[in-house]
Amino acid sequence: AEYMGLTCFLLLASLCLRRMLSRVSGPLVRAAATVAAREKSSLAHFPYRLDIPTRWRDFDVYGHVNNAVYYAYIDTIVNDFLIRRCGLRPARDSVVGYAVKSECTFVSSVSFPDTVVGGLGVHKLGNSSITYNVALFVRRFEGGAASDAELPLAAHGEFVHVFVDKSTGRSTRI
């Protein structure tokens, strides 16, 4: 039963990610893959989105979101996608995604009580890994953009998961 569950999960995740990729045309994926394009991109370039409310505790003594918190936002959107859309259940599944690389470029600050709107796209789907493009936009509490397409970019980055069998610690095909 565990093996069947794992097989079903991997098949579902692979199909889910491939379907997500098929909905995004090649030029949009390439545009989201470069720093210059990401800085000019809009939320429309990202097929999966998630609103993440800021918390008072996210802010440091300089009055802005601490840089480490941006990585938590990135981790949140990636795992939200895997759990909600791909059926991943990290606590009970025998396969988990290990973060092997992450990077974040900061573009503008976020303030409390703004909402971070995360955009997620898949840049590369490997045999046992997924490279995601992530962008964090900001919906200002005090007015600002009239639509999601006009939200200012706060940060963009890349996140790489390698899927690993928990019992062996070895990467597994997705």
Side-chain angles (χ1 to χ4, degrees):
E2 174 71 22
Y3 178 76
M4 268 315 261
L6 171 62
T7 302
C8 289
F9 160 72
L10 293 174
L11 178 61
L12 178 62
S14 180
L15 290 173
C16 182
L17 290 164
R18 290 179 197 285
R19 186 170 48 246
M20 182 177 160
L21 280 173
S22 71
R23 284 186 282 172
V24 181
S25 67
L28 291 179
V29 172
R30 283 191 298 279
T34 65
V35 171
R38 278 188 261 168
E39 288 178 351
K40 297 175 188 170
S41 69
S42 73
L43 191 55
H45 291 115
F46 296 91
Y48 189 76
R49 298 173 191 129
L50 179 67
D51 285 4
I52 306 168
T54 57
R55 304 167 302 172
W56 184 253
R57 67 179 264 181
D58 293 345
F59 296 87
D60 58 24
V61 297
Y62 302 109
H64 58 76
V65 171
N66 185 277
N67 59 351
V69 177
Y70 284 83
Y71 284 97
Y73 294 155
I74 291 170
D75 195 45
T76 296
I77 189 170
V78 167
N79 284 291
D80 186 84
F81 168 73
L82 290 172
I83 291 166
R84 291 182 192 273
R85 301 289 186 200
C86 299
L88 179 69
R89 298 295 179 256
R92 68 173 188 234
D93 290 343
S94 60
V95 172
V96 292
Y98 286 174
V100 297
K101 178 184 176 191
S102 62
E103 64 181 50
C104 186
T105 301
F106 306 97
V107 178
S108 66
S109 65
V110 177
S111 300
F112 181 80
D114 294 342
T115 298
V116 171
V117 182
L120 177 70
V122 174
H123 175 66
K124 181 181 175 192
L125 184 58
N127 290 327
S128 62
S129 66
I130 304 169
T131 302
Y132 307 94
N133 285 328
V134 183
L136 302 174
F137 298 86
V138 59
R139 184 176 296 120
R140 303 272 181 220
F141 175 73
E142 297 287 336
S147 71
D148 282 355
E150 299 172 313
L151 293 176
L153 184 64
H156 58 84
E158 186 176 272
F159 189 91
V160 181
H161 258 154
V162 171
F163 288 86
V164 174
D165 183 301
K166 281 187 203 177
S167 65
T168 66
R170 293 182 180 246
S171 63
T172 189
R173 225 173 140 73
I174 56 172

mmCIF file of all heavy atoms in Angstrom, residues 46-63:
data_model
loop_
_atom_site.group_PDB
_atom_site.id
_atom_site.type_symbol
_atom_site.label_atom_id
_atom_site.label_comp_id
_atom_site.label_asym_id
_atom_site.label_seq_id
_atom_site.Cartn_x
_atom_site.Cartn_y
_atom_site.Cartn_z
ATOM 1 N N PHE A 46 3.326 33.974 -13.735
ATOM 2 C CA PHE A 46 3.445 32.848 -12.814
ATOM 3 C C PHE A 46 2.106 32.137 -12.680
ATOM 4 O O PHE A 46 1.139 32.722 -12.207
ATOM 5 C CB PHE A 46 3.947 33.342 -11.456
ATOM 6 C CG PHE A 46 5.332 33.924 -11.556
ATOM 7 C CD1 PHE A 46 5.515 35.269 -11.809
ATOM 8 C CD2 PHE A 46 6.444 33.103 -11.440
ATOM 9 C CE1 PHE A 46 6.792 35.804 -11.928
ATOM 10 C CE2 PHE A 46 7.720 33.621 -11.567
ATOM 11 C CZ PHE A 46 7.894 34.972 -11.812
ATOM 12 N N PRO A 47 2.053 30.845 -13.074
ATOM 13 C CA PRO A 47 0.779 30.134 -13.089
ATOM 14 C C PRO A 47 0.217 29.764 -11.714
ATOM 15 O O PRO A 47 -0.963 29.516 -11.593
ATOM 16 C CB PRO A 47 1.081 28.870 -13.902
ATOM 17 C CG PRO A 47 2.551 28.723 -13.877
ATOM 18 C CD PRO A 47 3.128 30.083 -13.671
ATOM 19 N N TYR A 48 1.045 29.731 -10.673
ATOM 20 C CA TYR A 48 0.540 29.429 -9.337
ATOM 21 C C TYR A 48 0.812 30.622 -8.445
ATOM 22 O O TYR A 48 1.922 31.177 -8.450
ATOM 23 C CB TYR A 48 1.223 28.170 -8.763
ATOM 24 C CG TYR A 48 0.575 27.705 -7.481
ATOM 25 C CD1 TYR A 48 -0.643 27.038 -7.518
ATOM 26 C CD2 TYR A 48 1.161 27.952 -6.246
ATOM 27 C CE1 TYR A 48 -1.254 26.616 -6.346
ATOM 28 C CE2 TYR A 48 0.554 27.532 -5.080
ATOM 29 C CZ TYR A 48 -0.651 26.874 -5.128
ATOM 30 O OH TYR A 48 -1.262 26.464 -3.975
ATOM 31 N N ARG A 49 -0.216 31.016 -7.690
ATOM 32 C CA ARG A 49 -0.094 32.210 -6.845
ATOM 33 C C ARG A 49 -0.616 31.915 -5.445
ATOM 34 O O ARG A 49 -1.511 31.101 -5.263
ATOM 35 C CB ARG A 49 -0.906 33.349 -7.447
ATOM 36 C CG ARG A 49 -0.378 33.716 -8.806
ATOM 37 C CD ARG A 49 -1.255 34.710 -9.513
ATOM 38 N NE ARG A 49 -0.800 34.776 -10.889
ATOM 39 C CZ ARG A 49 -1.589 34.651 -11.922
ATOM 40 N NH1 ARG A 49 -2.879 34.502 -11.744
ATOM 41 N NH2 ARG A 49 -1.105 34.722 -13.138
ATOM 42 N N LEU A 50 -0.051 32.647 -4.492
ATOM 43 C CA LEU A 50 -0.465 32.474 -3.102
ATOM 44 C C LEU A 50 -0.325 33.798 -2.366
ATOM 45 O O LEU A 50 0.735 34.423 -2.415
ATOM 46 C CB LEU A 50 0.404 31.408 -2.416
ATOM 47 C CG LEU A 50 0.120 31.132 -0.945
ATOM 48 C CD1 LEU A 50 -1.257 30.478 -0.786
ATOM 49 C CD2 LEU A 50 1.201 30.250 -0.344
ATOM 50 N N ASP A 51 -1.391 34.224 -1.695
ATOM 51 C CA ASP A 51 -1.327 35.400 -0.820
ATOM 52 C C ASP A 51 -0.753 34.979 0.526
ATOM 53 O O ASP A 51 -1.216 34.007 1.132
ATOM 54 C CB ASP A 51 -2.716 35.992 -0.601
ATOM 55 C CG ASP A 51 -3.238 36.766 -1.799
ATOM 56 O OD1 ASP A 51 -2.561 36.785 -2.849
ATOM 57 O OD2 ASP A 51 -4.326 37.352 -1.686
ATOM 58 N N ILE A 52 0.255 35.725 0.980
ATOM 59 C CA ILE A 52 0.901 35.434 2.258
ATOM 60 C C ILE A 52 0.850 36.710 3.099
ATOM 61 O O ILE A 52 1.545 37.680 2.793
ATOM 62 C CB ILE A 52 2.365 34.995 2.061
ATOM 63 C CG1 ILE A 52 2.455 33.817 1.087
ATOM 64 C CG2 ILE A 52 3.006 34.658 3.405
ATOM 65 C CD1 ILE A 52 3.863 33.509 0.608
ATOM 66 N N PRO A 53 0.022 36.742 4.140
ATOM 67 C CA PRO A 53 -0.034 37.950 4.967
ATOM 68 C C PRO A 53 1.271 38.135 5.741
ATOM 69 O O PRO A 53 1.863 37.159 6.206
ATOM 70 C CB PRO A 53 -1.205 37.702 5.917
ATOM 71 C CG PRO A 53 -1.556 36.272 5.795
ATOM 72 C CD PRO A 53 -0.886 35.697 4.584
ATOM 73 N N THR A 54 1.720 39.370 5.830
ATOM 74 C CA THR A 54 2.887 39.634 6.671
ATOM 75 C C THR A 54 2.452 39.590 8.125
ATOM 76 O O THR A 54 1.285 39.789 8.449
ATOM 77 C CB THR A 54 3.519 41.004 6.356
ATOM 78 O OG1 THR A 54 2.523 42.018 6.522
ATOM 79 C CG2 THR A 54 4.091 41.049 4.953
ATOM 80 N N ARG A 55 3.421 39.311 8.987
ATOM 81 C CA ARG A 55 3.159 39.276 10.422
ATOM 82 C C ARG A 55 4.064 40.317 11.083
ATOM 83 O O ARG A 55 5.153 40.608 10.590
ATOM 84 C CB ARG A 55 3.475 37.889 10.983
ATOM 85 C CG ARG A 55 2.713 36.780 10.294
ATOM 86 C CD ARG A 55 3.253 35.426 10.627
ATOM 87 N NE ARG A 55 4.668 35.366 10.253
ATOM 88 C CZ ARG A 55 5.475 34.368 10.556
ATOM 89 N NH1 ARG A 55 5.042 33.346 11.245
ATOM 90 N NH2 ARG A 55 6.728 34.377 10.188
ATOM 91 N N TRP A 56 3.641 40.827 12.181
ATOM 92 C CA TRP A 56 4.433 41.809 12.911
ATOM 93 C C TRP A 56 5.833 41.273 13.189
ATOM 94 O O TRP A 56 6.823 41.969 13.083
ATOM 95 C CB TRP A 56 3.716 42.191 14.200
ATOM 96 C CG TRP A 56 4.412 43.264 14.963
ATOM 97 C CD1 TRP A 56 5.119 43.125 16.116
ATOM 98 C CD2 TRP A 56 4.494 44.647 14.617
ATOM 99 N NE1 TRP A 56 5.627 44.323 16.514
ATOM 100 C CE2 TRP A 56 5.257 45.294 15.612
ATOM 101 C CE3 TRP A 56 3.988 45.418 13.576
ATOM 102 C CZ2 TRP A 56 5.533 46.650 15.589
ATOM 103 C CZ3 TRP A 56 4.260 46.766 13.538
ATOM 104 C CH2 TRP A 56 5.033 47.365 14.538
ATOM 105 N N ARG A 57 5.916 39.997 13.504
ATOM 106 C CA ARG A 57 7.204 39.393 13.855
ATOM 107 C C ARG A 57 8.151 39.234 12.665
ATOM 108 O O ARG A 57 9.313 38.903 12.837
ATOM 109 C CB ARG A 57 7.000 38.054 14.546
ATOM 110 C CG ARG A 57 6.401 36.998 13.615
ATOM 111 C CD ARG A 57 6.225 35.685 14.280
ATOM 112 N NE ARG A 57 7.392 34.878 13.953
ATOM 113 C CZ ARG A 57 7.581 33.652 14.355
ATOM 114 N NH1 ARG A 57 6.690 33.072 15.124
ATOM 115 N NH2 ARG A 57 8.634 32.978 14.007
ATOM 116 N N ASP A 58 7.658 39.450 11.435
ATOM 117 C CA ASP A 58 8.503 39.337 10.238
ATOM 118 C C ASP A 58 9.496 40.496 10.115
ATOM 119 O O ASP A 58 10.432 40.418 9.326
ATOM 120 C CB ASP A 58 7.650 39.314 8.964
ATOM 121 C CG ASP A 58 6.784 38.067 8.844
ATOM 122 O OD1 ASP A 58 7.032 37.084 9.566
ATOM 123 O OD2 ASP A 58 5.860 38.095 8.004
ATOM 124 N N PHE A 59 9.290 41.548 10.875
ATOM 125 C CA PHE A 59 10.055 42.781 10.694
ATOM 126 C C PHE A 59 11.207 42.894 11.679
ATOM 127 O O PHE A 59 11.123 42.467 12.814
ATOM 128 C CB PHE A 59 9.111 43.985 10.800
ATOM 129 C CG PHE A 59 8.107 43.948 9.679
ATOM 130 C CD1 PHE A 59 6.938 43.239 9.807
ATOM 131 C CD2 PHE A 59 8.403 44.533 8.465
ATOM 132 C CE1 PHE A 59 6.046 43.142 8.757
ATOM 133 C CE2 PHE A 59 7.520 44.439 7.407
ATOM 134 C CZ PHE A 59 6.338 43.736 7.558
ATOM 135 N N ASP A 60 12.269 43.507 11.194
ATOM 136 C CA ASP A 60 13.449 43.669 12.043
ATOM 137 C C ASP A 60 13.541 45.116 12.537
ATOM 138 O O ASP A 60 12.638 45.931 12.299
ATOM 139 C CB ASP A 60 14.720 43.232 11.300
ATOM 140 C CG ASP A 60 14.948 43.990 10.006
ATOM 141 O OD1 ASP A 60 14.443 45.129 9.860
ATOM 142 O OD2 ASP A 60 15.656 43.470 9.137
ATOM 143 N N VAL A 61 14.616 45.453 13.209
ATOM 144 C CA VAL A 61 14.772 46.788 13.793
ATOM 145 C C VAL A 61 14.878 47.882 12.729
ATOM 146 O O VAL A 61 14.725 49.053 13.040
ATOM 147 C CB VAL A 61 16.003 46.863 14.729
ATOM 148 C CG1 VAL A 61 15.821 45.931 15.904
ATOM 149 C CG2 VAL A 61 17.284 46.574 13.989
ATOM 150 N N TYR A 62 15.098 47.497 11.479
ATOM 151 C CA TYR A 62 15.175 48.484 10.397
ATOM 152 C C TYR A 62 13.804 48.800 9.819
ATOM 153 O O TYR A 62 13.679 49.616 8.905
ATOM 154 C CB TYR A 62 16.111 47.989 9.294
ATOM 155 C CG TYR A 62 17.494 47.699 9.815
ATOM 156 C CD1 TYR A 62 17.956 46.408 9.933
ATOM 157 C CD2 TYR A 62 18.327 48.736 10.234
ATOM 158 C CE1 TYR A 62 19.213 46.138 10.445
ATOM 159 C CE2 TYR A 62 19.588 48.479 10.740
ATOM 160 C CZ TYR A 62 20.022 47.174 10.842
ATOM 161 O OH TYR A 62 21.263 46.920 11.346
ATOM 162 N N GLY A 63 12.767 48.121 10.308
ATOM 163 C CA GLY A 63 11.404 48.423 9.885
ATOM 164 C C GLY A 63 10.977 47.751 8.600
ATOM 165 O O GLY A 63 9.998 48.165 7.980
#
